[in-house]
Amino acid sequence: MQTIDLRELEKLNMLKLSIKRSLSQGEGLRRSSAKGRSAEFSGYREYIPGDDMRYVDWNAFARLDKLYIKEFMEEKEGRVNIYLDTSRSMEFGEKLKSTLMSELTESISYIASSGRDSVFITDLANPTYTFKVPSGKQGVGTLRKWLEGIHPGKEVKSISLKESLKKAIRGRGGLAFVISDFMDEGFLDAESDILKLFGYHGMEVILLHVMSREELEIDEDGAFQLVDSEEESKEVRLTLDKYSIRDYKKTLEKYMRDIEDKARAAGGKYVLCSTGESISKLIFESMRDVFL
């Protein structure tokens, strides 16, 4: 897949992911309410037998004749999971939907890695393999190379999101991004089960609905030769007039609204991502609730 202009990544330096659910135990830059042994002082509490004597405040003991333990804010590492729908349908549009998916993946990974959160990415065409993005500057180049090696529709033309996610979801806590055009037949019926699966793993899920500008902004009528992107033998000749276009838009809007309603009912988020919008606008405006 085509990757993002590196200059776009530099604009994201000040952002940080908002991860509310349980965190991993690795060292990171994310402050937890738990008490630990990082450098930032938090407060005192009375000594409890078994406490590490290295953290006793001996100055306080000399003054008060009572043992107190120094407490510090614990820094924890958040976990970010990204699941990519690499169905053939993602290869559509003047700007391919897969290109925007790649840009979103790089942007989210860059922001997470900058906060020293761990990033795990799964191509749902191969759900049993998870790619862990290396930390630091090395991670940007390694991720770009990995994304450039993905060719939507090459391994499988269509993906069952429910079945693939069952195999792909591992670990507990953190954020889970599913990036897809959600053209999986029957996705809406399976959405509640998918969201429950993420909930079972303690993950806060964000559905990034990638649509092409052409799919969202049909504004002309006439005859079209349509080909099923996931089964090329299927061709349909279709004539669209203003009434057909109106019905199409109503149906599409209802479908997107239904996906969003189910996501929000389960405590998740839904973001429509159009290829007609710049990645900066999507990150800073459409996805502003995701970042700090």
Side-chain angles (χ1 to χ4, degrees):
M1 297 189 293
Q2 185 175 333
T3 51
I4 196 171
D5 186 327
L6 288 175
R7 289 172 296 184
E8 291 294 327
L9 290 181
E10 294 173 359
K11 300 176 183 178
L12 309 177
N13 281 324
M14 301 303 295
L15 295 178
K16 186 177 180 181
L17 284 165
S18 175
I19 302 181
K20 299 175 183 176
R21 299 205 176 182
S22 58
L23 302 170
S24 70
Q25 295 299 318
E27 180 186 358
L29 297 180
R30 187 172 304 283
R31 182 176 297 160
S32 166
S33 58
K35 299 298 187 294
R37 299 293 181 250
S38 71
E40 186 174 349
F41 177 70
S42 173
Y44 293 97
R45 65 168 172 80
E46 289 189 21
Y47 171 84
I48 299 172
D51 282 341
D52 192 330
M53 296 299 291
R54 290 177 299 172
Y55 299 104
V56 170
D57 187 327
W58 295 108
N59 290 327
F61 176 73
R63 294 194 312 272
L64 304 172
D65 195 29
K66 197 168 186 178
L67 293 177
Y68 286 92
I69 293 290
K70 293 179 181 179
E71 289 190 325
F72 302 84
M73 294 303 299
E74 184 175 6
E75 303 288 355
K76 288 191 176 183
E77 172 188 78
R79 180 184 176 102
V80 178
N81 305 277
I82 305 175
Y83 302 94
L84 307 180
D85 177 1
T86 56
S87 299
R88 184 70 177 271
S89 63
M90 296 297 288
E91 294 288 88
F92 177 78
E94 181 179 354
K95 175 179 178 177
L96 297 176
K97 290 186 279 187
S98 62
T99 297
L100 179 54
M101 177 167 65
S102 182
E103 291 176 348
L104 288 165
T105 301
E106 280 194 85
S107 298
I108 294 165
S109 299
Y110 182 83
I111 294 166
S113 296
S114 296
R116 292 174 64 184
D117 295 326
S118 293
V119 182
F120 301 85
I121 306 176
T122 304
D123 173 359
L124 291 175
N126 185 17
T128 58
Y129 171 76
T130 297
F131 171 70
K132 186 178 188 299
V133 179
S135 59
K137 293 182 179 179
Q138 174 193 358
V140 175
T142 305
L143 174 58
R144 289 171 71 84
K145 186 176 180 181
W146 186 78
L147 288 170
E148 287 167 355
I150 294 178
H151 305 284
K154 183 176 181 180
E155 291 193 38
V156 292
K157 290 185 177 179
S158 62
I159 291 173
S160 166
L161 292 177
K162 181 179 178 179
E163 296 306 314
S164 292
L165 286 167
K166 278 184 181 178
K167 298 174 184 176
I169 298 175
R170 289 179 285 276
R172 294 197 63 81
L175 286 179
F177 292 87
V178 180
I179 309 179
S180 172
D181 59 5
F182 300 116
M183 287 191 176
D184 167 25
E185 187 175 353
F187 168 75
L188 201 58
D189 292 333
E191 183 181 359
S192 294
D193 290 338
I194 290 172
L195 295 168
K196 286 178 184 177
L197 182 60
F198 280 113
Y200 175 78
H201 285 265
M203 297 179 185
E204 182 180 0
V205 65
I206 300 165
L207 304 180
L208 299 184
H209 192 175
V210 175
M211 297 287 285
S212 71
R213 180 187 59 77
E214 293 87 346
E215 290 169 324
L216 293 169
E217 300 176 11
I218 295 179
D219 56 5
E220 56 183 299
D221 54 20
F224 297 86
Q225 192 76 20
L226 303 180
V227 178
D228 187 329
S229 62
E230 295 180 1
E231 194 169 337
E232 294 179 359
S233 61
K234 290 184 179 179
E235 291 190 4
V236 178
R237 185 169 181 80
L238 181 66
T239 300
L240 295 179
D241 55 25
K242 63 180 180 180
Y243 301 106
S244 301
I245 293 172
R246 181 192 60 193
D247 291 343
Y248 164 80
K249 288 183 176 180
K250 282 185 177 179
T251 301
L252 179 59
E253 286 169 3
K254 182 180 184 306
Y255 183 65
M256 294 188 295
R257 188 168 56 251
D258 288 346
I259 295 175
E260 180 176 13
D261 288 346
K262 287 191 175 184
R264 294 193 183 282
K269 292 184 175 72
Y270 168 91
V271 182
L272 175 63
C273 302
S274 169
T275 60
E277 302 285 358
S278 69
I279 188 66
S280 292
K281 184 172 182 180
L282 289 172
I283 294 293
F284 285 100
E285 296 183 21
S286 300
M287 297 174 63
R288 63 184 178 275
D289 291 341
V290 178
F291 304 106
L292 299 173

